[in-house]
Amino acid sequence: MSSIFEDTINFGFGMFAYSREKIEELVEKMVQKGEVAKKDASSFVSEMTAKGEMERKELKRIIGDEFKDAMEVLKPITRDEIRQIIREEMNKSKENKK
């Protein structure tokens, strides 16, 4: 289960990197058109990237909360519980052979 969670977060990180590239491309076009001064381009990219980072952190928090809620509802079996079931079944099997 945690693999799905990690994949989702990594996808979000990938989207963040993609967004930064797109922001830089957009700002470069704006500079070329004269809509943004060359000297302001770097700070504009940084500001937009910072906003994207804040949104990424919020998304990570939301996904984490949803994952925790799902785990509470699903109550998946733990490794220790699986081991205990196996031990019990093995003991039953040994007793039946006697």
Side-chain angles (χ1 to χ4, degrees), residues 22-35:
K22 290 297 181 185
I23 290 169
E24 289 172 344
E25 288 175 17
L26 175 65
V27 171
E28 183 60 35
K29 287 178 184 177
M30 293 172 76
V31 168
Q32 290 172 358
K33 291 180 181 179
E35 296 172 356

Side-chain angles (χ1 to χ4, degrees), residues 62-78:
I62 290 169
I63 291 171
D65 290 347
E66 291 298 319
F67 183 77
K68 287 176 189 173
D69 290 346
M71 295 303 282
E72 286 178 22
V73 170
L74 295 174
K75 294 185 173 117
I77 191 166
T78 65

Side-chain angles (χ1 to χ4, degrees), residues 73-84:
V73 170
L74 295 174
K75 294 185 173 117
I77 191 166
T78 65
R79 286 182 184 163
D80 289 339
E81 291 170 329
I82 293 171
R83 287 181 182 129
Q84 182 61 34

Side-chain angles (χ1 to χ4, degrees), residues 42-55:
S42 179
S43 63
F44 187 68
V45 168
S46 295
E47 182 181 319
M48 296 304 291
T49 302
K51 286 181 183 178
E53 177 68 16
M54 287 182 349
E55 290 176 7

